[in-house]
Amino acid sequence: MPANAPYEYKVVPAPRAARRIKGARGPQERFARTLEEILSEEAVDGWEFQRAEHMEIDEKRSWLRRARPTHRSVLVFRRG
């Protein structure tokens, strides 16, 4: 982190599927608990959740193919 920057940021991929969580009922609760676990894991190291972003990027799947638009979701954290 640069000396004059008040915050450091970290961006991690958002989960694409829910983890198996004991006691969670249904896909919505499993996904919510999956997010809860990720946020808690990052908080241990002092990262504060800021927002989720859904972005479109051009992604090349192989060197012979042209880039195609792909959607990616990420979670943004910061710490000071």
Side-chain angles (χ1 to χ4, degrees), residues 33-78:
R33 299 263 303 272
T34 298
L35 284 174
E36 196 174 272
E37 284 183 356
I38 292 169
L39 299 180
S40 294
E41 288 166 6
E42 296 299 333
V44 168
D45 293 327
W47 294 101
E48 178 184 355
F49 176 70
Q50 294 298 296
R51 65 186 172 277
E53 294 285 341
H54 188 71
M55 308 168 97
E56 183 177 302
I57 62 168
D58 289 334
E59 187 174 272
K60 242 182 162 176
R61 299 205 188 271
S62 73
W63 64 279
L64 291 174
R65 294 185 181 173
R66 291 188 324 189
R68 291 190 175 179
T70 303
H71 290 91
R72 298 285 179 216
S73 296
V74 296
L75 306 174
V76 180
F77 297 86
R78 80 172 184 188

Side-chain angles (χ1 to χ4, degrees), residues 8-29:
E8 178 180 9
Y9 290 89
K10 180 177 183 178
V11 179
V12 299
R16 294 183 64 159
R19 298 174 181 170
R20 289 188 157 178
I21 298 175
K22 188 175 181 177
R25 296 182 183 159
Q28 286 182 330
E29 186 177 343

